[in-house]
Amino acid sequence: MQAMTKYGSAAGPYSRRTEAPRKAPPGLDRPCAAWRKASFRGSTLVETLVMMLVAGIVFLTVMDGMTLFTRLQTQRARALASAVRRGGGYTRVVSLVGDADSILCPAAGRLELYRNGRLSALSHVDSVLVYRCGGFCDTLLGGVSALRLAEYDAVPDTVEIGFGVGFTAKLPVMSASRQYRMALDEIENGYGYEE
């Protein structure tokens, strides 16, 4: 039996084609053969639906976790900003009291601070401590329950700021004349006078 060529004539001993058929380069036909032999397993509709359900639950859980994490970070940032503002206000109060030449208490919950001939005031208004100097007004501290000046003879006068949580800050008032007297006393003690 004679084999047919692609041109439709029989390939026999007297056919026009005398050369041997070309072979593919080594290794080129093997992947194609392996690809044809490989079989892919499909999935059923039920398996696809279960996989989509599980993926959806995991996705929702991750997104809820991210939402909770974002809320926690926002809450922490607000608390940190509040603490920084409170610390800044407290530092300003300490600076105002420490730099004052003299402090008077004309009324309950109000202090007048004099420094270099300028008048400024600290007032306790609706649980906040308000600073006023001329036309400038600023809120320094929140949660304040009391503001008063305690006057002493032997020790420096003290500004007491009570907070609603039961804490009272006591800031000593070092007036310029008192500081001058204390500096003079230290100088006098250094000479060692004999009596």
Side-chain angles (χ1 to χ4, degrees):
M1 192 174 208
Q2 291 184 348
M4 296 292 288
T5 63
K6 65 179 181 175
Y7 301 107
S9 62
Y14 302 107
S15 68
R16 289 184 189 169
R17 189 168 184 169
T18 57
E19 58 187 53
R22 285 193 225 164
K23 290 186 176 180
L28 187 63
D29 59 343
R30 289 187 187 127
C32 296
W35 181 263
R36 284 188 214 119
K37 290 180 184 177
S39 62
F40 295 103
R41 184 182 175 277
S43 60
T44 64
L45 181 61
V46 173
E47 291 172 341
T48 304
L49 289 175
V50 168
M51 186 270 306
M52 290 174 64
L53 181 67
V54 169
I57 290 171
V58 169
F59 179 75
L60 287 176
T61 304
V62 169
M63 292 309 292
D64 282 345
M66 290 297 291
T67 302
L68 289 174
F69 179 73
T70 304
R71 287 181 188 168
L72 179 66
Q73 289 297 96
T74 304
Q75 183 182 11
R76 295 289 181 189
R78 285 181 187 157
L80 183 61
S82 174
V84 168
R85 278 194 306 269
R86 182 173 289 142
Y90 185 77
T91 303
R92 287 185 61 197
V93 170
V94 170
S95 175
L96 286 170
V97 171
D99 292 343
D101 294 332
S102 63
I103 297 178
L104 300 175
C105 184
R110 179 177 167 82
L111 298 179
E112 291 180 348
L113 295 89
Y114 293 91
R115 182 174 185 268
N116 295 333
R118 287 187 68 189
L119 171 66
S120 58
L122 286 175
S123 303
H124 172 230
V125 180
D126 293 334
S127 77
V128 293
L129 189 63
V130 178
Y131 170 70
R132 285 191 175 94
C133 184
F136 178 74
C137 182
D138 191 14
T139 302
L140 297 180
L141 293 172
V144 176
S145 62
L147 174 66
R148 70 184 202 95
L149 177 65
E151 297 180 4
Y152 299 102
D153 292 330
V155 294
D157 296 343
T158 304
V159 174
E160 296 180 352
I161 304 171
F163 293 93
V165 294
F167 171 72
T168 301
K170 296 182 178 183
L171 309 173
V173 179
M174 297 297 286
S175 65
S177 60
R178 187 174 297 231
Q179 288 177 353
Y180 181 70
R181 276 198 316 269
M182 289 174 66
L184 285 178
D185 289 342
E186 287 179 10
I187 292 171
E188 290 289 328
N189 290 335
Y191 284 117
Y193 293 121
E194 295 181 9
E195 295 184 19

